[in-house]
Amino acid sequence: MAVVLGPNRYGKAETRVVRVTRGPGGHRIKDCNVGVALSGDMDDAHLGRSNAAVLPTDSQKNTVYAFAARHGIEQIEDFALLLARHFVESQRAVHHARVSVEEYPWEPVAGGGHSFAGRGGESRTCVAHHDRDGTATVVSGLAGLVLLNTTGSEFRGFAVDEYTTLAPAADRVLATAVTAMWRHTKTHSGYGESRERARGGLVAAFAGTHSRSLQQTLYAMGERVLADGPELCEVRLSLPNRHHFLVDLTPFGIRNDDEVYQVADRPYGLIEGAVLRAGAPAAGFAFD
């Protein structure tokens, strides 16, 4: 049986790095989880002939720490691009580098200049790609943005089969924890401002849309992000439906006037989709 080696990559996953910047006006902290994946001329390593093309993953980890010390970490997109470019330019066998960063935000605690509080479960994300020919792509995003509307959401007129028990809802609680990624048309400065506009658009569209389905809300959120961000060409969203069910209190002689709910964490509906600017270039592996 003839077999051949297919697409492959390797790297160092989940290098956790905390960079503290100390200044007279107080300290700043960047808390990041960095993933590196490299691909290129790696056939000899896979086929047992030579490891000469393989930069150890331990070296990749050390590079993350060294670059954090030497260059600092401002916008995570810039840091990811810097690392990706370095691995391609410094290693002849590497033709493509993918660097992902997840940032866990901290907020200063008033009064000390050196104390911080974590900002819950929301995190910032990015993925940067760099090719041997110099092509670079950047995808920014966020995860764990929890949103809830207590009204202004319905779900009815859906398909029904012999297993359907769900009753149509003319008014319901709609809640989700947003994972969003948005693709930049080109590398640029101002990733932080772009992220704030995108996040604000997601929140505003969720709050301002009378939802007939979570699918409709997804489209409205992606459409708003693209409307507010001319530097962006595509948004991808993953929206779990955090179901809130009215609790039946009649056995206790209590009337529940849409006030007390049970939150079901699983199973849950999962709505995913992409919204693209018309004529946007193909994403390829940019979201990988």
Side-chain angles (χ1 to χ4, degrees):
M1 178 180 66
V3 298
V4 295
L5 178 66
N8 59 86
R9 63 187 182 187
Y10 82 105
K12 199 69 164 181
E14 299 199 41
T15 297
R16 189 72 177 264
V17 55
V18 174
R19 174 54 150 93
V20 178
T21 302
R22 307 175 188 276
H27 298 173
R28 292 187 298 111
I29 187 170
K30 285 283 187 176
D31 182 357
C32 298
N33 199 7
V34 181
V36 177
L38 309 178
S39 57
D41 292 331
M42 304 295 167
D43 289 16
D44 285 351
H46 284 275
L47 300 177
R49 293 193 290 255
S50 170
N51 291 330
V54 179
L55 179 69
T57 64
D58 189 67
S59 301
Q60 297 172 34
K61 174 203 68 178
N62 292 339
T63 303
V64 172
Y65 293 137
F67 272 47
R70 181 175 297 164
H71 303 285
I73 305 175
E74 293 297 331
Q75 300 302 323
I76 58 174
E77 292 88 350
D78 291 325
F79 187 65
L81 275 171
L82 191 67
L83 285 166
R85 185 181 302 116
H86 165 78
F87 288 121
V88 170
E89 293 180 351
S90 66
Q91 300 298 314
R92 181 178 301 177
V94 174
H95 296 173
H96 177 82
R98 173 193 185 275
V99 177
S100 62
V101 181
E102 183 173 15
E103 179 186 355
Y104 311 108
W106 294 83
E107 292 181 339
V109 174
H114 60 272
S115 301
F116 298 83
R119 276 201 284 168
E122 184 179 341
S123 61
R124 300 172 179 172
T125 63
C126 78
V127 179
H129 294 267
H130 199 281
D131 287 323
R132 171 64 61 186
D133 65 4
T135 301
T137 59
V138 176
V139 173
S140 301
L142 56 80
L145 170 60
V146 179
L147 300 173
L148 184 148
N149 285 335
T150 56
T151 189
S153 173
E154 59 185 76
F155 188 55
R156 48 188 171 176
F158 47 81
V160 175
D161 66 7
E162 65 269 32
Y163 301 112
T164 300
T165 59
L166 183 68
D171 191 24
R172 64 173 182 168
V173 171
L174 183 66
T176 188
V178 180
T179 298
M181 302 175 73
W182 46 90
R183 180 161 57 102
H184 300 263
T185 55
K186 59 183 179 180
T187 59
H188 61 87
S189 60
Y191 289 109
E193 294 86 349
S194 179
R195 183 189 302 114
E196 290 305 311
R197 283 195 303 272
R199 186 186 186 280
L202 292 169
V203 174
F206 181 88
T209 300
H210 180 90
S211 179
R212 291 176 172 82
S213 68
L214 192 49
Q215 286 88 340
Q216 178 200 1
T217 300
L218 180 149
Y219 183 81
M221 294 169 75
E223 184 180 38
R224 176 63 180 267
V225 170
L226 293 180
D228 292 348
E231 74 281 9
L232 308 177
C233 58
E234 183 176 358
V235 182
R236 295 192 183 183
L237 291 158
S238 178
L239 304 180
N241 194 342
R242 293 191 166 181
H243 302 292
H244 287 60
F245 298 112
L246 275 173
V247 178
D248 182 8
L249 298 176
T250 55
F252 317 113
I254 301 174
R255 182 176 176 177
N256 189 356
D257 291 326
D258 296 338
E259 293 176 332
V260 179
Y261 296 85
Q262 171 199 359
V263 182
D265 64 342
R266 63 191 65 182
Y268 55 85
L270 181 60
I271 314 303
E272 298 180 299
V275 182
L276 296 86
R277 195 178 301 281
F285 51 72
F287 278 94
D288 181 14

